[in-house]
C-alpha cells in the first residue's frame, strides 16, 4: 500500500511539473511517454520535430494511433527526459556540469542530432562540454563522476575519455605549479570519483610522466577518504561496532583496497611507512588477497629503517587494541629487511653473517622496543616472542639492555612459566652484552633463571679482577669459555657438598646403632674413605687455585667450608 501511494505521488508530481509547460497550450496532448514510474502527457508533433527516435517509433508502430511510448531505458531517467522534452517544446532549462553528460547521452538515445534538426540537443550539450564543463579540473571531475551511472553509453560517446584526458593534464599542471592553497587541493578533488575512474586518472597521469611522489600524494588522499574509518582513523573509534565478517560493506571495502594497492607506483620509497602500515593493517582486517598483503609487506621491508614502534604496533593489534593479530606479517617484514641487508653486505664484499649497518642497528633497537610493548599480552607465546627477537642478527646489537627489558616485561606478564620456559625466553639474549646497570638489575631479578643471574655476577667478577675497565675485560669468547669452566667447578663443588652431607647423615645413623666403643674405628674408616673421595673430586688438583686455606687435618662436617672459586 505504501509503495502504491509512493508511486501515485511520483505520477502526480510528474504530471504537475509537466502541466506547467504543456497544459498551458490549447492543443490537447495525444501521447503518454512512460519513463520508469513517471508518465508524461505530451504532443507527438512537438517531439517528432526534434527526436528522430520517437518519429521512427510512431511511423513504424503497428498501432494506427500510437498513444503510449515506453522510454524507461533512456539514460538519466525521468528527470533527464523531462529536460529533453522541454528542449523539444522550446522551454528554457539550465545545463550544468552535473547533468550535461546525462543530457548528451539522452540526446544520443533520442537521436536529437544536428543531422536531423539544426542546433539540436546533441550539439548544444557538446558545446557546453567543450566550452564550460571541461574548462576546469573541478568541472571535468564532476562530469566524470556523473558518467558512473551512464555506462556504457558515456564511454562510447568518448565523454569519459575526454574528461580523463583533461582532468589528468590539469592535475599534472597543478602538481607542478599550484594555483591555489593548499598545494595538494587537487588530490581532494579526485576523491569524488569511483575507483574505476580514479584508476583511469592515475594511469593517464603516469603516461604523462607524473612523478612518483605526485601519484603517491593522490593515492594517499584517495585511500584516506574512501576508507576513512580503516586508514585515517588511527584510534579505531567507530570500528568496534563494525562487523568484521563477510558483509556487503566489507566485501566492497576489500575490493576497493585491493584496487588501491594495485595502483601503487613501482618506486618502493614513494610512500611514507606509516601509510603503508595502515594499509597493511586494513588488508589484514579485511582479509584481503595474499598478493595484496605481500605487496605491502615488501614495500614496508624496503624502507624498514624508517619504521617506528608505533608503526609496528599498528600492524600488530586489532582496531580495538585488545588483541594481537597473527604477527606473521611483522615477521616477514623484518625477515625481508634482514635478507636485503645481508645481500648488500655480500655485494660490498662483507660477510653475510655480520650485518651491522646503521640501518640494521636502528631496526634492531626498534624491534627490541616493539617486543617490550607486545610482551605484556598474555596470548603472546614464547615461540612468537623468540621468533621476532631472533630475526635480528646476533652481531647487530652492541648492547642488549632493550632486549633484556623486553624479556623482563614478558616474564613479569607471564608469572606461571617454569624454569625451562624462562630459560627459553632468555635464550635470545647474550648476558655478556648487558651494561653494568642492567647486570646489577639482572643479578637481583628473581624472575630470571639461575643461569642468567650467574652470568651477570660472573661477568662483574671478571671486570673486578681485570680492573673495572671494560677495555681490560677479556673478549666475549674467552669470557664464555672461562664461564663454562667455572660453572662446571660450581657444579662439582655442589656435588662435593652434597656428598659430605650424605656421609654426615650416614655417620650419625651409625652412631645411633653402634656402641660408644666402636665410634673411634668407624670414624677412622669413614675419614680414610673420604680422603680418597675428596682427592678424586678436588677441582683444583690440576689448576692453580689457592688452596692454602684447606687444612690437612679433619674437615668440620657440621659446617662445610665455602670455596674461594664459588660464585655465590
Amino acid at each position: 500500500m505504501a509503495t502504491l501511494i509512493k508511486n501515485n505521488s511520483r505520477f502526480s508530481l510528474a504530471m504537475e511539473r509537466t502541466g506547467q509547460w504543456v497544459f498551458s497550450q490549447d492543443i490537447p496532448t495525444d501521447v503518454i511517454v512512460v519513463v520508469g514510474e513517471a508518465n508524461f502527457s505530451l504532443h507527438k508533433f512537438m517531439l517528432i520535430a526534434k527526436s528522430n527516435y520517437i518519429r521512427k517509433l510512431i511511423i513504424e508502430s503497428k498501432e494506427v494511433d500510437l498513444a503510449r511510448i515506453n522510454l524507461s531505458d533512456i539514460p538519466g531517467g525521468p528527470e533527464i527526459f523531462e529536460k529533453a522534452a522541454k528542449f523539444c517544446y522550446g522551454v528554457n532549462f539550465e545545463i550544468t556540469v552535473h547533468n550535461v553528460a546525462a543530457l548528451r547521452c539522452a540526446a544520443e538515445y533520442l537521436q536529437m542530432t544536428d543531422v536531423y534538426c539544426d542546433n539540436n540537443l546533441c550539439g548544444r550539450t557538446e558545446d557546453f562540454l567543450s566550452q564550460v564543463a571541461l574548462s576546469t579540473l573541478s568541472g571535468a571531475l564532476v562530469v566524470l563522476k556523473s558518467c558512473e551511472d551512464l555506462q556504457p553509453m558515456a564511454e562510447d560517446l568518448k565523454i569519459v575519455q575526454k574528461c580523463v584526458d583533461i582532468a589528468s593534464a590539469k592535475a599534472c599542471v597543478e602538481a607542478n605549479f599550484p594555483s591555489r592553497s593548499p598545494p595538494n587541493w587537487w588530490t581532494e578533488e579526485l576523491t569524488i570519483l569511483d575507483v574505476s575512474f580514479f584508476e583511469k586518472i592515475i594511469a593517464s597521469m603516469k603516461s604523462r610522466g607524473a612523478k612518483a611522489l605526485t601519484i603517491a600524494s593522490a593515492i594517499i588522499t584517495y585511500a584516506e577518504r574512501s576508507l576513512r574509518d580503516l586508514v585515517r582513523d588511527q584510534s579505531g573509534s567507530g570500528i568496534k561496532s563494525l562487523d568484521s565478517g563477510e558483509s556487503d560493506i566489507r566485501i566492497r571495502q576489500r575490493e576497493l583496497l585491493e584496487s588501491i594497492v594495485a595502483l601503487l607506483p613501482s618506486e618502493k620509497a614513494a610512500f611514507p611507512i606509516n601509510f603503508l602500515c595502515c594499509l597493511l593493517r586494513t588488508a589484514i582486517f579485511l582479509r584481503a588477497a595474499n598478493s595484496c598483503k605481500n605487496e605491502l609487506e615488501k614495500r614496508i621491508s624496503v624502507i624498514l629503517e624508517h619504521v617506528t614502534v608505533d608503526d609496528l604496533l599498528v600492524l600488530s593489534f586489532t582496531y580495538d587494541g585488545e588483541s594481537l593479530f597473527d604477527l606473521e606479517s611483522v615477521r616477514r617484514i623484518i625477515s625481508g629487511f634482514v635478507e636485503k641487508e645481508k645481500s648488500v653486505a655480500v655485494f660490498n664484499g662483507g660477510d653475510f653473517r655480520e650485518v651491522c649497518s646503521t640501518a640494521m642497528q636502528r631496526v634492531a633497537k626498534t624491534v627490541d622496543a616493539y617486543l617490550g610493548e607486545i610482551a605484556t599480552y598474555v596470548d603472546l607465546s614464547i615461540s612468537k616472542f623468540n621468533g621476532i627477537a631472533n630475526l635480528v642478527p646476533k652481531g647487530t646489537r652492541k648492547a642488549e639492555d632493550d632486549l633484556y627489558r623486553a624479556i623482563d616485561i614478558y616474564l613479569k606478564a607471564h608469572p606461571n612459566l617454569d624454569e625451562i620456559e624462562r630459560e627459553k625466553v632468555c635464550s635470545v639474549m647474550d648476558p655478556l652484552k648487558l651494561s653494568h646497570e642492567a647486570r646489577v638489575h639482572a643479578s637481583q631479578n628473581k624472575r630470571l633463571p639461575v643461569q642468567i643471574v650467574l652470568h651477570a655476577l660472573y661477568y662483574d667478577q671478571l671486570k673486578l679482577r681485570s680492573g673495572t675497565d671494560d677495555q681490560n675485560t677479556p673478549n666475549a669468547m674467552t669470557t664464555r669459555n672461562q664461564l663454562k669452566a667455572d660453572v662446571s667447578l660450581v657444579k662439582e663443588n655442589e656435588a662435593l657438598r652434597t656428598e659430605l652431607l650424605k656421609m654426615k647423615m650416614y655417620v650419625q645413623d651409625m652412631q645411633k646403632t653402634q656402641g660408644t666403643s666402636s665410634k673411634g674405628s668407624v670414624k677412622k674408616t669413614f675419614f680414610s674413605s673420604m680422603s680418597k673421595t675428596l682427592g678424586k673430586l678436588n677441582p683444583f688438583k690440576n689448576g692453580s687455585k689457592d688452596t692454602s686455606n684447606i687444612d690437612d687435618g679433619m674437615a668440620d662436617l657440621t659446617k662445610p667450608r665455602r670455596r674461594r672459586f664459588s660464585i655465590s
Side-chain angles (χ1 to χ4, degrees), residues 9 58 102 129 141 163 182 205 232 254 294 316 335 384 399 455 539 543 554:
S9 64
I58 295 174
L129 276 172
L141 293 176
C163 292
M205 291 180 68
R232 175 175 287 187
R254 180 167 62 237
N294 291 340
S316 306
S335 178
K384 289 185 178 181
H455 276 67
M554 296 295 183

Side-chain angles (χ1 to χ4, degrees), residues 529-545:
S529 63
M530 278 304 300
S531 297
K532 296 179 180 179
T533 303
L534 290 174
K536 294 179 180 179
L537 293 177
N538 180 15
F540 305 124
K541 61 183 180 179
N542 295 323
S544 60
K545 299 289 183 178

Side-chain angles (χ1 to χ4, degrees), residues 40-102:
F40 298 89
S41 295
L42 302 171
H43 302 87
K44 293 180 181 178
F45 71 93
M46 297 298 293
L47 299 177
I48 291 174
K50 299 290 185 180
S51 173
N52 187 42
Y53 180 76
I54 294 178
R55 183 185 69 84
K56 289 180 180 179
L57 285 179
I58 295 174
I59 293 175
E60 297 173 0
S61 174
K62 296 180 180 179
E63 297 182 25
V64 177
D65 188 10
L66 183 63
R68 194 176 186 86
I69 299 175
N70 192 327
L71 299 178
S72 296
D73 55 349
I74 187 173
E79 293 183 3
I80 295 302
F81 174 76
E82 181 181 356
K83 289 180 172 55
K86 282 183 177 182
F87 184 83
C88 293
Y89 277 82
V91 178
N92 291 328
F93 64 92
E94 184 179 9
I95 300 178
T96 67
V97 291
H98 296 280
N99 63 26
V100 64

Side-chain angles (χ1 to χ4, degrees), residues 502-551:
K502 288 181 180 179
M503 290 300 179
K504 178 183 176 182
M505 295 176 63
Y506 174 75
V507 169
Q508 290 175 349
D509 291 340
M510 292 293 292
Q511 288 175 345
K512 292 179 182 179
T513 57
Q514 297 181 4
T516 307
S517 61
S518 62
K519 288 182 180 179
S521 61
V522 170
K523 287 184 178 180
K524 184 176 181 179
T525 305
F526 164 68
F527 285 113
S528 299
S529 63
M530 278 304 300
S531 297
K532 296 179 180 179
T533 303
L534 290 174
K536 294 179 180 179
L537 293 177
N538 180 15
F540 305 124
K541 61 183 180 179
N542 295 323
S544 60
K545 299 289 183 178
D546 183 8
T547 57
S548 60
N549 60 341
I550 300 179
D551 295 336

Side-chain angles (χ1 to χ4, degrees), residues 338-387:
V338 172
E339 291 300 321
K340 184 200 75 169
E341 289 295 305
K342 287 181 178 179
S343 299
V344 172
V346 172
F347 180 78
N348 293 334
D351 187 349
F352 73 92
R353 291 169 295 184
E354 296 294 334
V355 182
C356 297
S357 65
T358 303
M360 189 69 249
Q361 293 176 10
R362 190 183 301 121
V363 169
K365 191 171 184 65
T366 304
V367 169
D368 291 345
Y370 164 75
L371 287 171
E373 294 293 331
I374 67 174
T376 57
Y377 284 80
V378 180
D379 55 347
L380 179 63
S381 64
I382 296 176
S383 61
K384 289 185 178 181
F385 181 87
N386 287 4

Side-chain angles (χ1 to χ4, degrees), residues 150 166 279 493 508:
L150 300 173
I166 292 175
L279 281 188
N493 187 29
Q508 290 175 349

Side-chain angles (χ1 to χ4, degrees), residues 235-251:
S235 65
S237 59
I239 299 297
K240 296 180 182 179
S241 60
L242 292 179
D243 179 23
S244 60
E246 290 299 302
S247 63
D248 291 340
I249 295 177
R250 283 288 173 266
I251 293 174

